[in-house]
Amino acid sequence: PGWSALLIEPGLADGHQRQRLEELVVDRTVQLAAARESAEQARSSQTEFLAHMSHEVRTPLNAIAGLTHLMRREPGLTEALGRRLADVQSAARHLQAIVDDVLDLERLESGEVALRDEPFDLHTLLDEVRALVQGEADLSGVSLQVEQAAPTTALRGDATRLRQALLN
């Protein structure tokens, strides 16, 4: 029975209505506690899954980024292959950033997210973003140009959030 049905139930004396209301409050309190416990268990499972997934994805991505870095240092590397390896390395960093974004969503849900205040190079960030979208632009027949007018490229802020915004 709902609250309104209880309050207007005919034939019950005030004492019985009060007792019935107290019973209903106790029942609802028990239901809410059970729902809260269930939500906390689901949240714990989600956190555990994301931590495991993060580790499983980061391990091969770190290997890819590290190997491409080493390959780019090989003597006799052609310029074209060097650019391709740089693109692979950039894509690996982008995927790592996506994993970080997923973990940030987890932190956001728990109220623990904060913007970073770190130095980063704007030109490097723009080059990485360009490299990530250049292939798709080429396939679509779209000309992609990045104009970097600012002579100073050292900035402070959250490069990950800026990269994410530019990619979106």
Side-chain angles (χ1 to χ4, degrees):
W3 293 99
S4 59
L6 174 70
L7 296 176
I8 60 171
E9 194 172 325
L12 284 182
D14 286 343
H16 290 308
Q17 280 191 356
R18 180 184 171 114
Q19 180 181 359
R20 181 76 177 114
L21 182 59
E22 288 173 356
E23 290 170 2
L24 188 56
V25 167
V26 168
D27 287 346
R28 295 288 165 99
T29 302
V30 169
Q31 291 171 358
L32 288 172
R36 180 182 180 147
E37 182 178 331
S38 177
E40 286 174 1
Q41 287 174 349
R43 178 109 179 99
S44 176
S45 294
Q46 177 182 342
T47 300
E48 184 178 325
F49 168 77
L50 288 174
H52 180 71
M53 181 272 313
S54 169
H55 174 75
E56 292 299 319
V57 171
R58 283 175 190 259
T59 300
L61 284 176
N62 286 331
I64 291 168
L67 288 172
T68 54
H69 176 74
L70 292 174
M71 291 172 70
R72 290 178 66 198
R73 295 172 53 188
E74 286 291 318
L77 181 70
T78 66
E79 186 178 329
L81 185 55
R83 281 193 310 271
R84 288 185 186 120
L85 287 171
D87 289 347
V88 170
Q89 195 173 20
S90 179
R93 281 196 298 264
H94 176 65
L95 288 173
Q96 288 172 330
I98 290 172
V99 171
D100 289 341
D101 290 345
V102 170
L103 294 174
D104 280 349
L105 285 175
E106 171 71 16
R107 289 182 199 109
L108 181 63
E109 287 181 2
S110 63
E112 299 173 7
V113 74
L115 291 176
R116 295 182 184 116
D117 182 18
E118 304 169 332
F120 68 95
D121 183 88
L122 179 61
H123 290 278
T124 301
L125 185 135
L126 292 173
D127 286 341
E128 290 172 359
V129 170
R130 182 211 40 81
L132 288 169
V133 298
Q134 185 69 58
E136 190 173 328
D138 291 344
L139 290 174
S140 301
V142 174
S143 173
L144 178 65
Q145 296 180 357
V146 178
E147 294 183 25
Q148 300 178 7
T152 303
T153 63
L155 299 177
R156 289 192 65 83
D158 195 325
T160 300
R161 299 299 184 296
L162 179 57
R163 181 183 298 105
Q164 182 181 23
L166 291 172
L167 288 169
N168 287 341

